[in-house]
Amino acid sequence: MTNDLVLDPTCGSGTTLYVAEQWGRRWITIETSRFAHVIARARIMGARYPYYLLADSRDGQLKEAEVARIAPSIQPTRGSIRQGFVYERVRHITLKSIANNAEIDVIWDKFQEKLEPLREQLSNAIRQDLHDEQDKSKTPVNPVEKRVAIFIGPEFGTVSRPDLVAAARGAGDAGFDVLIACTFNYDAHSSEFDKLGRIPVLKARMNADLHMADDLKNTGKGNLFIIFGEPDIDILETESGKIQVKVNGVDVFHPNTGEVRSDGAEGIACWFIDTDYNEESFFVRHAYFLGANDHYKALRTTLKAEIYEEAWASLNSDTSRHFDKPKSGRIAVKVINHL
């Protein structure tokens, strides 16, 4: 029914709202994450929806009769938008309709012969994996205990390389084996620091939502720390004396495991260059997009404008355009991967 009300208590990126809007359903959503709220709002406000006929029009009456499979109304029309629109219909599927569906037997007969051998292969593979795991469990393991020191950065501030050096030195003097740094922001130089002597330094970046701990409900430990990456780049010099940046991939740090995983350029959604970095503020002077499929579909939809394809094509690159050498002697690169 077109007057159905859809409730989505955790809307995420707004997919449920987008579909409800397309099917003419009223909706209410709830979301505690500011990041998800911004994405959902931009998606709903920037999306394009099908054109629907006014229910209070002759064309609308004919369309309503067609989709509802009833005789056309003969009531006079006034073209009032208050009467709503003629939407497409989606069937309501209930457990009763599924149980009484005679086509289930046809589907069973059609696919059972194909699926049964696959099910048997899967069962054999699972049994083999369990057998292998049992063999491994019989191998004696000598556990190694390690002591971990935790460094908590300022609530409103940036952790610098000297801060990490001092913390790692203190951890080493106290007999700890690993230092884990937790903070909201790191400066540029601290990203290069990952070890002091025998003490590895693992850097975790805390989510800004922690500033609102008293205002937000508990959203689970998965939202407290976020992964972040360091781009792998080459700086190329041209014959004219200008330079280019080529991005090869990104090393992604996972705070849950302490692992650093390497990903190629295909794992980068977009990347940015500050061609004259002052070590304080990052200004996006170049932007490039490497996302899969149609790189600009969402942006094109949001802009609602004609796109100059050749200009856009120059932005879909892992190598930047030429630019002058920076006066500061420094550039900075930021990447956003599929996570």
Side-chain angles (χ1 to χ4, degrees), residues 16-37:
T16 301
L17 319 182
Y18 176 74
V19 175
E21 194 74 26
Q22 284 198 325
W23 285 100
R25 301 302 193 265
R26 299 175 300 146
W27 52 265
I28 298 175
T29 186
I30 304 166
E31 182 55 70
T32 59
S33 170
R34 292 173 296 169
F35 181 69
H37 174 261

Side-chain angles (χ1 to χ4, degrees), residues 140-174:
V141 177
N142 297 321
V144 178
E145 291 187 359
K146 289 191 175 183
R147 301 181 67 224
V148 178
I150 306 296
F151 169 73
I152 306 295
E155 182 177 4
F156 303 102
T158 300
V159 168
S160 63
R161 182 183 179 117
D163 296 329
L164 295 179
V165 170
R169 183 175 291 114
D173 293 342

Side-chain angles (χ1 to χ4, degrees), residues 55-128:
D56 191 20
S57 67
R58 186 53 188 164
D59 289 340
Q61 289 177 339
L62 296 175
K63 186 65 176 179
E64 177 70 25
E66 177 188 336
V67 298
R69 299 180 180 180
I70 58 176
S73 173
I74 58 174
Q75 294 294 326
T77 60
R78 298 179 179 82
S80 171
I81 196 173
R82 293 178 178 272
Q83 304 301 319
F85 303 92
V86 180
Y87 296 104
E88 297 179 58
R89 298 294 195 269
V90 59
R91 292 181 58 188
H92 282 206
I93 300 176
T94 64
L95 292 177
K96 180 179 180 181
S97 65
I98 295 175
N100 295 332
N101 184 6
E103 294 183 2
I104 290 180
D105 295 332
V106 178
I107 296 173
W108 170 273
D109 294 337
K110 180 179 179 181
F111 291 102
Q112 180 62 16
E113 185 178 350
K114 298 178 181 179
L115 294 177
E116 184 60 28
L118 297 177
R119 186 195 65 79
E120 185 63 27
Q121 293 177 17
L122 180 61
S123 298
N124 291 336
I126 293 175
R127 283 194 291 268
Q128 184 61 43

Side-chain angles (χ1 to χ4, degrees), residues 37-306:
H37 174 261
V38 169
I39 292 178
R41 181 175 60 184
R43 181 174 186 182
I44 293 298
M45 297 182 68
R48 288 186 177 181
Y49 301 101
Y51 171 77
Y52 295 110
L53 295 172
L54 282 174
D56 191 20
S57 67
R58 186 53 188 164
D59 289 340
Q61 289 177 339
L62 296 175
K63 186 65 176 179
E64 177 70 25
E66 177 188 336
V67 298
R69 299 180 180 180
I70 58 176
S73 173
I74 58 174
Q75 294 294 326
T77 60
R78 298 179 179 82
S80 171
I81 196 173
R82 293 178 178 272
Q83 304 301 319
F85 303 92
V86 180
Y87 296 104
E88 297 179 58
R89 298 294 195 269
V90 59
R91 292 181 58 188
H92 282 206
I93 300 176
T94 64
L95 292 177
K96 180 179 180 181
S97 65
I98 295 175
N100 295 332
N101 184 6
E103 294 183 2
I104 290 180
D105 295 332
V106 178
I107 296 173
W108 170 273
D109 294 337
K110 180 179 179 181
F111 291 102
Q112 180 62 16
E113 185 178 350
K114 298 178 181 179
L115 294 177
E116 184 60 28
L118 297 177
R119 186 195 65 79
E120 185 63 27
Q121 293 177 17
L122 180 61
S123 298
N124 291 336
I126 293 175
R127 283 194 291 268
Q128 184 61 43
D129 288 343
L130 291 175
H131 183 268
D132 294 343
E133 287 297 326
Q134 289 175 352
D135 290 342
K136 291 180 181 178
S137 64
K138 297 175 183 179
T139 304
V141 177
N142 297 321
V144 178
E145 291 187 359
K146 289 191 175 183
R147 301 181 67 224
V148 178
I150 306 296
F151 169 73
I152 306 295
E155 182 177 4
F156 303 102
T158 300
V159 168
S160 63
R161 182 183 179 117
D163 296 329
L164 295 179
V165 170
R169 183 175 291 114
D173 293 342
F176 289 96
D177 302 297
V178 179
L179 172 67
I180 298 178
C182 304
T183 191
F184 294 101
N185 294 290
Y186 296 91
D187 70 3
H189 297 296
S190 63
S191 63
E192 305 168 358
F193 181 73
D194 57 11
K195 193 173 185 180
L196 179 68
R198 65 176 183 83
I199 305 295
V201 178
L202 307 180
K203 297 183 288 294
R205 180 168 292 165
M206 294 188 287
N207 193 310
D209 283 353
L210 286 175
H211 289 306
M212 303 174 64
D214 295 334
D215 302 318
L216 297 177
K217 292 182 179 179
N218 181 16
T219 56
K221 64 180 181 180
N223 286 343
L224 298 183
F225 296 93
I226 59 176
I227 66 173
F228 64 99
E230 181 177 357
D232 176 16
I233 65 170
D234 290 327
I235 299 179
L236 312 175
E237 188 166 350
T238 67
E239 295 180 357
S240 60
K242 296 186 176 183
I243 60 175
Q244 291 177 282
V245 175
K246 184 179 187 303
V247 61
N248 302 312
V250 59
D251 294 332
V252 179
F253 172 72
H254 292 251
N256 289 342
T257 62
E259 296 179 279
V260 176
R261 304 175 189 172
S262 298
D263 202 354
E266 67 278 0
I268 296 176
C270 54
W271 61 288
F272 314 102
I273 309 175
D274 184 345
T275 57
D276 195 11
Y277 183 52
N278 63 6
E279 295 189 274
E280 294 181 356
S281 302
F282 185 96
F283 293 93
V284 177
R285 307 177 197 269
H286 284 219
Y288 302 92
F289 303 87
L290 298 176
N293 304 320
D294 186 345
H295 318 290
Y296 318 113
K297 182 178 180 181
L299 188 57
R300 185 187 291 111
T301 301
T302 302
L303 293 176
K304 297 183 175 64
E306 292 296 326

